[in-house]
Amino acid sequence: MFLPEESDLHKYSAVLAATEPIRLRCEVEIRNSMNPFSYMIYKLRGAKFKDPSGNVRIENKAVDAACVRYENRVDEVVRSYGLTPELFNSMSHRIKNEPFLKRRVLLQAYFYRIAADLEREGIIPRRNSCAPRHSHHGTALSDRGQSAH
């Protein structure tokens, strides 16, 4: 899908695939930590729940805690693929503004996700070639540096 000189795009796609379950879990935690009516109102108003300076995180400590856990986990995944949060965030902005590139990245992420699901179900054998390098540093990502989802 990508040329050899586009290895960072490959990594970016892998990060998207790897962090999608983390993002979904965070969304559930946020929804469960709020009054359902309030949650819907904020959603309809387009609130960015993960924005550290947003009212939702400031006013609701459970939402803030869910977001902090999400940011830390995403940061670990980004770093484990050899990217810095700054590079990942700048790539996010670039990808967001280039529709064709965004489609390519999302398609590759989708392929990674399918492969992971097939491996988990034992349908295809596990592969070791793209395993991330694990690192545990901590710069949290937020809505200000969101991926191209």
Side-chain angles (χ1 to χ4, degrees):
M1 171 103 354
F2 297 110
L3 300 172
E5 60 270 15
E6 296 176 308
S7 67
D8 282 350
L9 291 172
H10 239 300
K11 292 175 185 177
Y12 186 95
S13 297
V15 169
L16 288 186
T19 59
E20 182 64 6
I22 299 167
R23 186 189 67 77
L24 294 173
R25 190 173 322 122
C26 179
E27 294 295 325
V28 169
E29 287 181 41
I30 290 170
R31 188 174 55 246
N32 290 342
S33 66
M34 296 181 71
N35 170 304
F37 181 74
S38 297
Y39 177 79
M40 261 317 146
I41 296 295
Y42 277 114
K43 256 318 212 197
L44 291 171
R45 290 182 179 166
K48 293 188 175 189
F49 294 102
K50 295 181 193 104
D51 181 354
S53 62
N55 287 338
V56 179
R57 278 186 74 169
I58 292 169
E59 295 170 4
N60 188 320
K61 296 303 174 198
V63 169
D64 187 54
C67 292
V68 167
R69 280 190 298 278
Y70 165 78
E71 292 161 356
N72 289 337
R73 288 177 185 143
V74 169
D75 182 70
E76 288 177 11
V77 172
V78 166
R79 290 177 188 279
S80 75
Y81 279 93
L83 301 173
T84 64
E86 296 77 20
L87 176 58
F88 183 82
N89 290 341
S90 71
M91 290 175 71
S92 295
H93 293 295
R94 175 180 162 218
I95 292 165
K96 189 186 226 180
N97 293 320
E98 294 182 32
F100 180 70
L101 180 58
K102 181 177 180 178
R103 280 192 298 274
R104 287 177 60 211
V105 166
L106 292 176
L107 183 60
Q108 183 63 51
Y110 178 70
F111 290 152
Y112 280 139
R113 196 73 208 128
I114 290 172
D117 290 344
L118 292 173
E119 286 177 354
R120 188 176 52 255
E121 297 296 322
I123 296 169
I124 61 173
R126 294 204 179 273
R127 57 194 159 83
N128 295 325
S129 61
C130 291
R133 294 184 321 269
H134 293 286
S135 171
H136 299 285
H137 298 85
T139 302
L141 302 177
S142 66
D143 267 3
R144 286 180 267 174
Q146 268 193 319
S147 63
H149 282 290

